[in-house]
Amino acid sequence: MQETLAYSPGGAVNAPPRTDPIDELLAALNRERPPLARLSHDASIPFGPAMRVERFVLGNGLTVLVLVDPSAPVVCLQTWFGVGSRHERVGKTGIAHLFEHLMFGETEGVPHGAFDRMLEEAGAETNAATFLDWTYYHTNLPKDALELTLKLEAQRMARLVLRDPQVSSEKEVVANERRQRVDDDIDGSVSELLYKEAFRKHAYGWPTIGWMEDIKGFTTEDCVDFYRTYYAPNNAALVLVGDVALDRALGLVQDHYGAQEPSKIPVEDVSPEPPQTEERRLEVSKPTATHKVAIGYRSPALGDFDHAPLSLLNEILFSGRSSRVHRALVQEQEIASEVRGWVGSFRDPALYDIYLSARGHHTGEELLAALEPILEAVRRAPVTEAELDRAKARTELSVLQGLETVAGKAEQIGFYETVLGDPAALFERLAAYRRVTVGDLLRVARRYLVSSARTAVYVIPDGSSDDDDDAAETDGDSEEAS
């Protein structure tokens, strides 16, 4: 960017033109590059008080987000794809999660098993996760392994080998994972039932891992079509955080991703969930020693104004032993062994999940009956300023602790870029927490904690378990899907 020249009355130039360093960098990087490999600088975005995320876009549509943090000689590289279970269709559920497995397989020139081995030998560690709105792959690596990591990541984005043996093998791995984490797991199966019952139109109603019949029915052609559609540079954000030299890192991205062609991303066709006007209730028998109940109230989308105050209200109700629900149901009435709540952080409106596990012979009906006066209290009158202040402090501390590592920074950048289109939205969210008033909490309690719009799944012991889970007393938290 050039500064406007100022002239003195005598016509002399007061100041020389000033060149933006980013412009100079891009001019050097783009010299003799083909159109798909040419970088443009989209924005320089403050990330907290002292750091900046530089957003670049490759000619093929790949978003590149770089935060230089030289505090340690390490780098976190993450690739976020704008595809999750919400982008699937009926009969093909679980294919986004299946690809999380397939992506660790063979690529052209790199045999099966070599991806992990080469990175481990270079001192790196890698993993992946899939959820409703996204899929991402992350690698923590020493700085001198950057070129190798980018090469391998670019290869599997464009040159994954998909043949019948590989697909069949991974389908069986995922089927076994579903048996362990859902079919044979009480929490997993109950959560699946809760979302299936609460969402009858929206794609959030089917599980990220997919229905078993869909998993078994995938063909290699299904996988090839999905890969060619969604695993493309114009549907991905590459996040680099750590001790990197900006010019070298961007040059490597051009080298390894610049030849990849963009794909035509389908228009997303997700049906909005109609308003729920009456309570939905399910009862299931499970091999558990005690009764449980899972409750889903409607919740706002992550980008909605109400999401921050509802999250703080959940902090007051469920976070820690001093929370209202824990004190009442676990410590005072002694009818519950575990209580937890979580406000869904998704692109579209989702659920405020509440999970209660009974102590002894108390029932799910008793648990919900004991919970209702606590919820009525926050609907009827404001919480105290002291409670709100504590909730804000705990929430802010948790957020800031999550940014202590390069991996923590990269995950927040990639998540908010993918879901909200703003890699620094976390700090806007912190500001939103600080602005919340007790009146905001009263409003969201009345708007969302509505019994006629809730879904409840009651778990009844089937008599086959002798496990004593009365002693479990945990605060609970959401579990990352993978």
Side-chain angles (χ1 to χ4, degrees):
M1 178 178 177
Q2 286 195 334
E3 174 180 88
T4 302
L5 297 181
Y7 291 88
S8 69
V13 177
N14 290 338
R18 187 175 60 198
T19 304
D20 189 323
I22 294 289
D23 289 343
E24 291 183 336
L25 173 63
L26 292 183
L29 289 170
N30 289 332
R31 191 173 296 120
E32 299 182 0
R33 294 280 188 178
L36 291 180
R38 292 178 65 85
L39 279 164
S40 61
H41 184 236
D42 186 62
S44 181
I45 304 162
F47 190 79
M51 293 185 171
R52 302 187 77 83
V53 175
E54 302 295 344
R55 183 199 274 134
F56 301 88
V57 181
L58 213 56
N60 57 19
L62 178 68
T63 297
V64 184
L65 301 162
V66 184
L67 187 151
V68 177
D69 178 4
S71 57
V74 295
V75 177
C76 181
L77 170 64
Q78 298 187 354
T79 308
W80 289 74
F81 290 94
V83 60
S85 56
R86 66 174 288 147
H87 300 91
E88 299 162 349
R89 65 182 190 274
V90 174
K92 301 296 180 183
T93 66
I95 194 167
H97 173 258
L98 174 62
F99 255 85
E100 179 195 318
H101 289 254
L102 290 169
M103 286 285 280
F104 287 89
E106 179 182 356
T107 61
E108 297 173 19
V110 180
H112 183 79
F115 179 90
D116 282 334
R117 187 183 68 252
M118 292 169 71
L119 288 174
E120 288 172 3
E121 289 173 352
E125 56 182 14
T126 184
N127 211 326
T130 309
F131 213 9
L132 307 184
D133 298 320
W134 43 260
T135 303
Y136 86 111
Y137 302 84
H138 59 97
T139 305
N140 297 324
L141 55 134
K143 59 182 294 185
D144 57 5
L146 179 60
E147 183 170 7
L148 171 66
T149 307
L150 283 169
K151 177 183 177 181
L152 292 173
E153 287 289 353
Q155 284 179 336
R156 68 174 176 173
M157 182 187 287
R159 299 166 60 193
L160 187 68
V161 173
L162 293 169
R163 301 192 186 101
D164 290 344
Q166 292 93 335
V167 171
S168 297
S169 174
E170 292 306 327
K171 282 168 56 179
E172 187 56 36
V173 171
V174 172
N176 286 331
E177 182 182 343
R178 181 185 162 83
R179 293 184 188 102
Q180 295 171 5
R181 297 183 58 177
V182 180
D183 300 342
D184 297 333
D185 182 83
I186 294 170
D187 286 0
S189 61
V190 169
S191 177
E192 182 175 278
L193 284 171
L194 180 68
Y195 275 75
K196 180 183 178 182
E197 187 65 17
F199 291 98
R200 297 178 176 178
K201 289 286 186 181
H202 195 285
Y204 287 168
W206 56 67
T208 299
I209 201 168
W211 304 119
M212 184 65 87
E213 58 269 28
D214 292 351
I215 296 169
K216 292 182 175 181
F218 288 131
T219 65
T220 300
E221 290 72 26
D222 290 331
C223 295
V224 170
D225 288 345
F226 185 87
Y227 180 65
R228 289 176 176 169
T229 300
Y230 291 106
Y231 276 73
N234 55 320
N235 195 44
L238 188 69
V239 182
L240 270 169
V241 177
D243 190 7
V244 296
L246 188 60
D247 55 348
R248 179 173 182 270
L250 293 176
L252 290 172
V253 170
Q254 290 178 300
D255 291 343
H256 295 294
Y257 291 87
Q260 296 186 17
E261 296 281 346
S263 72
K264 184 176 181 181
I265 308 299
V267 175
E268 189 175 352
D269 185 19
V270 174
S271 300
E273 187 66 24
Q276 183 175 335
T277 57
E278 59 182 22
E279 183 179 23
R280 299 171 187 171
R281 174 191 173 112
L282 288 176
E283 288 188 3
V284 293
S285 296
K286 294 288 182 182
T288 175
T290 61
H291 290 251
K292 307 175 191 299
V293 60
I295 307 155
Y297 290 94
R298 296 295 164 179
S299 70
L302 177 64
D304 192 286
F305 182 83
D306 285 344
H307 197 277
L310 187 60
S311 298
L312 290 175
L313 181 62
N314 175 69
E315 187 80 16
I316 291 168
L317 290 172
F318 286 97
S319 182
R321 295 174 179 270
S322 63
S323 65
R324 289 192 178 193
V325 177
H326 194 281
R327 284 202 320 268
L329 272 61
V330 177
Q331 300 172 37
E332 297 169 4
Q333 300 178 42
E334 297 185 344
I335 64 171
S337 61
E338 182 181 1
V339 299
R340 63 178 186 260
W342 180 64
V343 180
S345 298
F346 306 124
R347 180 175 296 169
D348 288 349
L351 292 185
Y352 176 14
D353 293 5
I354 294 173
Y355 179 88
L356 309 173
S357 182
R359 183 185 294 256
H361 298 290
H362 294 285
T363 67
E365 297 283 3
E366 290 178 81
L367 292 174
L368 189 53
L371 175 67
E372 184 54 40
I374 304 171
L375 301 185
E376 175 57 29
V378 296
R379 290 191 295 256
R380 184 181 63 250
V383 303
T384 67
E385 291 284 358
E387 284 179 302
L388 178 56
D389 288 343
R390 285 195 298 271
K392 289 180 179 181
R394 286 195 300 265
T395 300
E396 183 165 351
L397 177 62
S398 175
V399 168
L400 296 177
Q401 285 177 332
L403 298 176
E404 291 178 348
T405 65
V406 293
K409 295 182 184 76
E411 184 168 324
Q412 295 304 318
I413 290 169
F415 171 76
Y416 281 102
E417 171 71 16
T418 304
V419 178
L420 297 183
D422 180 359
L426 176 66
F427 293 95
E428 294 181 9
R429 188 164 179 82
L430 280 174
Y433 286 135
R434 297 180 188 120
R435 291 192 298 267
V436 169
T437 67
V438 293
D440 290 327
L441 268 59
L442 186 62
R443 174 176 51 79
V444 297
R446 291 171 175 172
R447 182 173 182 178
Y448 296 100
L449 301 181
V450 179
S451 59
S452 61
R454 76 184 173 200
T455 302
V457 179
Y458 294 87
V459 182
I460 301 169
D462 65 4
S464 65
S465 174
D466 295 324
D467 295 338
D468 181 10
D469 52 12
D470 291 357
E473 291 189 13
T474 64
D475 298 332
D477 201 354
S478 60
E479 181 177 346
E480 185 179 69
S482 63

